[in-house]
Amino acid sequence: MYSFLSFTGIAASVWIVFGIYIASRFYPNYSHTKQFCSELGAFGSPTQKLSPAINNYPLSLLFALFGYYLINSHPDHMPTMVIGAMTIIHGICTWVCGYFPMDADPYTTTPSKSCKIHTWSGLIMLVSFIVAPLIVTFSSYYSWSLRILSASSVIGCVYFSYKLAKSLERKTVPGLYQRLSYGCQILWLLIYSIFMIL
């Protein structure tokens, strides 16, 4: 069972790329640079039901299973257990973001209750995968190469999140910076998952 669970982090890292791509194929004129990933599941979108079904819900399960694996396979190592908890939290919030869609207009000044829940869950997702690589960065348990890659992931995520905020203000290409920011986190998860298997 554990041998299967150890690969769920890798599976989630790969799944999200293909899931977003597949959903976007059913959304006419969807722009990966100008639109958020969550717009695939937004109220009234052509893929409102499809996107969470093939992205959020299976991904939330994969994240939770990998977090469970980390906690149970390293019960005496607190840093790894906390990383596992952060991964489970990331999974729960992924599910919440799928269940509570964002508004069709990402620039609306009066977001719905569902959109507010979606936004807060997205923020917790962001923080959870900043905390996790930071733990690796400052833990001597892990190799120097993984610690440096983890630190780079955090720096990249924060930088592209800043660029995202500026792009959102200017209404230019927030989708691009969202993908780069989250991409740093997913790349970290992939590398960390591989490290935990070896």
Side-chain angles (χ1 to χ4, degrees), residues 4-27:
F4 162 74
L5 293 180
S6 65
F7 286 95
T8 51
I10 296 174
S13 304
V14 175
W15 190 299
I16 191 168
V17 175
F18 285 99
I20 291 173
Y21 173 75
I22 292 170
S24 70
R25 301 294 293 174
F26 293 91
Y27 190 122

Side-chain angles (χ1 to χ4, degrees), residues 1-147:
M1 181 64 172
Y2 269 169
S3 61
F4 162 74
L5 293 180
S6 65
F7 286 95
T8 51
I10 296 174
S13 304
V14 175
W15 190 299
I16 191 168
V17 175
F18 285 99
I20 291 173
Y21 173 75
I22 292 170
S24 70
R25 301 294 293 174
F26 293 91
Y27 190 122
N29 302 315
Y30 181 80
S31 171
H32 287 282
T33 57
K34 296 181 180 179
Q35 293 180 270
F36 292 104
C37 296
S38 293
E39 287 187 63
L40 290 167
F43 282 118
S45 81
T47 51
Q48 180 180 345
K49 299 296 183 182
L50 175 65
S51 183
I54 65 174
N55 285 313
N56 299 76
Y57 301 148
L59 281 169
S60 65
L61 177 62
L62 290 171
F63 286 132
L65 287 175
F66 187 62
Y68 172 83
Y69 162 75
L70 292 175
I71 292 171
N72 284 273
S73 61
H74 295 78
D76 299 321
H77 189 249
M78 186 56 67
T80 302
M81 291 180 67
V82 175
I83 292 170
M86 290 296 104
T87 307
I88 291 174
I89 290 171
H90 196 88
I92 292 171
C93 290
T94 299
W95 185 90
V96 172
C97 282
Y99 190 78
F100 294 94
M102 67 174 284
D103 294 329
D105 179 10
Y107 299 103
T108 181
T109 56
T110 55
S112 64
K113 181 179 179 180
S114 175
C115 188
K116 290 178 181 177
I117 294 173
H118 182 99
T119 301
W120 277 106
S121 293
L123 178 61
I124 296 172
M125 285 176 64
L126 174 70
V127 172
S128 67
F129 272 6
I130 288 178
V131 171
L134 278 178
I135 291 173
V136 175
T137 301
F138 295 105
S139 175
S140 59
Y141 172 79
Y142 301 102
S143 67
W144 272 109
S145 57
L146 182 62
R147 293 170 69 181

